[in-house]
Amino acid sequence: MNKKTACTVTAGFASADITPKEGTHLCGGTLGEYRPARFVRHKLFAKASVFRGDKTVCIIGLDALLINKKYADKIKATVMKELNIPYEAIMVFTIQNHSAPTVGEVMLDMDFPVKFSKEDEYMTGIDTEYSLFVCEQAATAAKQAYENLRPVKMDVKSGIKHGLAFCRRIIMRDGTVDMFPKHNAKLQPFGPNISHLESPMDDEVGVVCFKDGMDIVSSMLHFTCHPVNDIGNPSLYNSVSADWPGVWSEELQKKMGMEHIPTVLNGCCGNVNPFNPFVPDFVMDSERMGKALSDFAERITLAMTFEGADTPGVVDYTYTEIPLDYREIPQDFLEKNVNIIENTKEVKHTASGAFDDVWSWAASTYSILCCKKREPKFMYPVQVFRIGSLAIVALPGEPFTDSQLDIKLRSKAPMTYVTHCANKYVGYMPPVHAFAHPGHETSPGYTYWAKMAPGSIEKACDQVIADIEKLF
């Protein structure tokens, strides 16, 4: 394998502000909870990168929680029309930031039969006005990036930074799984009730630099962890923030220049949190985490030689949709939840005005039926871009780190970075072994975010490897 990672590519970069207005619903909390934005800790952005060779591709990263296919397609339609880039060559993903709105309906299916008022639409996860605004800004950023196309030198390097992210699915000695163990680390520092952390971690920090003369004009940054520091801090619960990816970007701009445009590719973090369960009184801190990543990324950048950067880099892509199965829902459980929704015919609230919990969870299960009616087989898009020596893999949903490690180990590309929450809302994508331990990501309540059958992500990984082989 050619180990040189540097080349020259024709590329353009741009960003557009997508910070929401006061009162916009910040998703990522409890099902049925209204969480209005009260102040801005960090602005949110849409980052666009366009690469042109024999083919042209466009990458759009959003500092949002999630995006569904309806709104991803809306962004792509504008980019296709204005820039003449094929649908399959446009990648749209979110960093899965829990202190931001979603783009589209994600908590309930977009075909859920009960219609919500503007005041109640947050139940579906959406703020329609904000979602439309993001689509406009994302397309604007893509257009500006296209207008900024010019030859730049590119290099890719990685390092290992341990201690920032941890497997959040903790297997207890009785075989159950817990996201936040009930033992107190100060009183029981060895976690006597814990058997093991379920999955291995991926501590790789990836940096892709694009250099124009002496200036590094843009970076793509890769790490793997749920951005949930700020939502986990009660004083920041209603703040708008891009969490550790936003701090990482801001800090790197300070080092590289404010014209520098960094884009974070968040990896397969469906089972990864920035919470160390074995440290007494551990405090999640997006500032600490983002600054640590920025300092480490700077060290990686300074180690780059750009050796061989005069070689033209290949720009290519694949896009494959694979049919996946849904989880089988027990008939008695299904009938109970269907009856709750179909016999209500309207949104059900408690006396305090909040959404009724029983109704809300039944609506989540019912949403699986809506999705299944529209797609009897769930069509899962696997997208791979080749930019020089780098393979960028876009996977919908929230796969576990197991899947990312599997892809990286089998990939024929010199460097492979995976980004999740891309192109379509799916929910969690656990590996087969995780279903033996029901938890949030493998919900025994058969929720809309836990609807895919065991073996789904393994099929997707096999397709990724086949597509990388075509490109490399």
Side-chain angles (χ1 to χ4, degrees), residues 25-99:
H25 175 54
L26 304 178
C27 203
T30 305
L31 179 66
E33 173 198 27
Y34 177 49
R35 184 174 156 228
R38 296 300 187 206
F39 65 95
V40 177
R41 193 177 196 212
H42 302 112
K43 288 187 174 182
L44 308 183
F45 293 93
K47 310 280 184 69
S49 306
V50 176
F51 300 94
R52 186 170 66 194
D54 291 338
K55 298 179 181 178
T56 302
V57 300
C58 176
I59 299 173
I60 298 173
L62 305 173
D63 289 346
L65 177 64
L66 299 162
I67 188 168
N68 70 4
K69 187 176 187 298
K70 178 170 68 176
Y71 283 89
D73 283 355
K74 187 179 287 288
I75 294 171
K76 292 184 183 188
T78 304
V79 175
M80 290 166 63
K81 180 180 178 182
E82 296 192 2
L83 305 183
N84 196 31
I85 298 176
Y87 178 92
E88 296 81 4
I90 305 167
M91 180 187 296
V92 180
F93 65 85
T94 66
I95 60 171
Q96 216 224 343
N97 162 33
H98 278 60
S99 292

Side-chain angles (χ1 to χ4, degrees), residues 157-198:
K157 291 286 185 292
S158 290
I160 299 297
K161 182 68 174 175
H162 183 62
L164 294 179
F166 308 87
C167 177
R168 75 184 194 183
R169 283 176 55 90
I170 301 168
I171 308 302
M172 312 305 285
R173 293 194 183 278
D174 61 2
T176 60
V177 66
D178 204 335
M179 191 184 300
F180 299 104
K182 295 178 176 62
H183 79 278
N184 182 293
K186 183 180 287 187
L187 299 177
Q188 302 177 358
F190 304 111
N193 297 322
I194 292 175
S195 173
H196 62 280
L197 304 186
E198 184 181 56

